Amino acid sequence: MRRLRKLLALPLADQWLAAEAAVWLALAQLLLAVLPFRWIAISLGPLARERSDGAVAPVDLIRQAQVRRIGQTVERTARHLPWTALCLPQALAARAMLGRRGIPATVHFGMALSDDETTDQEATEGGRRMLAHAWVTVGRTGVVGTPAAGRFAVVARFTHETGNHETGNHETDGQTVG
């Protein structure tokens, strides 16, 4: 009940944005449960490469504020859902919300080894687990998942931002994408 009161205390525009985030988070969770990732990857845009000059398109101040607001709303809404929406559903929801507004974004996927050792069967040979993370950026502006991104090695990036595309077919999980 307290959460509902907090939501209703927000300005109407923020209420609508939170409702949109909840819908996209639910849809992302559902799609991840029923579709193979290679099908979802197609909707994220072409597989991207690092640009040799390291340049990315600048984001103007108005758009940067909108991008940050979308990211904050997705993360806040995810914390208040009756299910756990981790980084991947958040990244998919943020990407969808940005795309709906014509804002090109990049979805990053990274891998890292855990810091703690485990005796789990899922552990790697050295006793550490492989961790995966997804995050979204617009230019150099972080949208969702970026605080944790620094410890992950990027294994794939899908983007609609200009100047970052590979050419030809691309492989993800052994399946051709794009």
Side-chain angles (χ1 to χ4, degrees):
M1 195 52 113
R2 187 178 66 128
R3 290 180 185 169
L4 182 59
R5 271 190 248 123
K6 278 179 123 177
L7 177 65
L8 294 175
L10 293 173
L12 190 58
D14 290 346
Q15 290 178 30
W16 279 111
L17 196 61
E20 180 185 358
V23 168
W24 282 114
L25 285 161
L27 183 59
Q29 198 81 32
L30 176 66
L31 292 176
L32 288 166
V34 300
L35 294 178
F37 178 74
R38 67 182 178 273
W39 292 7
I40 295 169
I42 291 169
S43 72
L44 297 177
L47 193 59
R49 61 175 167 77
E50 288 291 333
R51 292 182 52 174
S52 58
D53 60 2
V56 292
V59 180
D60 63 63
L61 291 176
I62 293 171
R63 186 164 276 191
Q64 192 174 46
Q66 185 179 26
V67 163
R68 285 199 171 118
R69 187 168 163 242
I70 288 170
Q72 290 167 350
T73 302
V74 168
E75 288 175 340
R76 184 178 37 231
T77 303
R79 286 192 304 269
H80 293 93
L81 292 172
W83 67 89
T84 303
L86 297 175
C87 61
L88 185 52
Q90 288 182 41
L92 296 177
R95 170 65 191 86
M97 291 174 71
L98 291 164
R100 214 173 75 68
R101 290 160 177 79
I103 301 173
T106 301
V107 179
H108 305 260
F109 293 93
M111 299 292 291
L113 288 175
S114 67
D115 293 332
D116 58 330
E117 296 212 4
T118 181
T119 58
D120 229 338
Q121 289 180 348
E122 296 176 11
T124 63
E125 208 171 287
R128 295 164 56 187
R129 288 183 193 208
M130 288 294 286
L131 304 174
H133 186 53
W135 63 98
V136 177
T137 59
V138 172
R140 295 193 188 278
T141 303
V143 183
V144 295
T146 51
R151 66 182 283 222
F152 291 86
V154 175
V155 294
R157 296 179 327 123
F158 295 88
T159 190
H160 283 287
E161 295 186 80
T162 57
N164 267 341
H165 305 299
E166 291 275 347
T167 55
N169 287 336
H170 314 293
E171 300 220 356
T172 301
D173 291 339
Q175 302 294 324
T176 302
V177 177

